[in-house]
């Protein structure tokens, strides 16, 4: 049985004063993760908890966010493989 992963997202008020802007970035982060979570390798019977923090003064495009999430998942998979070896 595969356990669900838990993720959190946060966007700093420092860079985005208006809540609709912060909410848009959070939606982008969640959607990019949702579309790529199937690539994440997890240990048998374990769950992963992650927190995504967005800290940039620029409003990101979805493609940029998705590329960053993919890179993060690849890096996490590499670390998982190193732990198994």
């Amino acid at each position: 049985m595969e356990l669900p992963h838990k993720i959190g997202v946060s966007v700093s008020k420092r860079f985005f004063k208006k809540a609709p802007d912060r909410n848009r970035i959070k939606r982008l982060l969640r959607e990019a993760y949702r579309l790529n979570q199937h690539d994440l390798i997890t240990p048998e019977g374990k769950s992963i908890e992650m927190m995504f923090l967005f800290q940039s003064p620029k409003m990101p495009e979805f493609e940029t966010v998705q590329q960053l999430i993919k890179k993060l998942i690849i890096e996490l998979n590499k670390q998982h493989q190193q732990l198994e070896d």
Side-chain angles (χ1 to χ4, degrees):
M1 182 177 125
E2 190 170 315
L3 297 173
H5 304 304
K6 294 181 183 180
I7 67 161
V9 293
S10 178
V11 180
S12 175
K13 277 187 182 180
R14 179 194 307 170
F15 298 119
F16 295 95
K17 304 293 185 201
K18 297 180 181 176
D21 292 337
R22 292 192 304 274
N23 292 339
R24 173 164 170 68
I25 296 170
K26 289 177 191 179
R27 283 194 305 273
L28 292 175
L29 288 166
R30 285 189 201 106
E31 182 65 7
Y33 174 76
R34 185 187 71 80
L35 292 173
N36 294 287
Q37 67 183 344
H38 62 277
D39 293 332
L40 186 60
I41 299 170
T42 57
E44 185 72 28
K46 301 252 178 161
S47 174
I48 294 178
E49 296 177 359
M50 292 183 269
M51 185 73 183
F52 296 112
L53 304 172
F54 186 82
Q55 297 181 326
S56 173
K58 291 180 14 180
M59 177 66 75
E61 295 290 327
F62 177 72
E63 292 78 23
T64 305
V65 173
Q66 191 166 18
Q67 288 174 353
L68 292 171
I69 295 291
K70 284 181 181 181
K71 284 181 185 178
L72 177 63
I73 288 174
I74 289 168
E75 186 61 35
L76 287 171
N77 288 339
K78 284 181 187 176
Q79 289 183 12
H80 175 71
Q81 291 295 330
Q82 289 175 353
L83 290 174
E84 283 188 347
D85 294 340

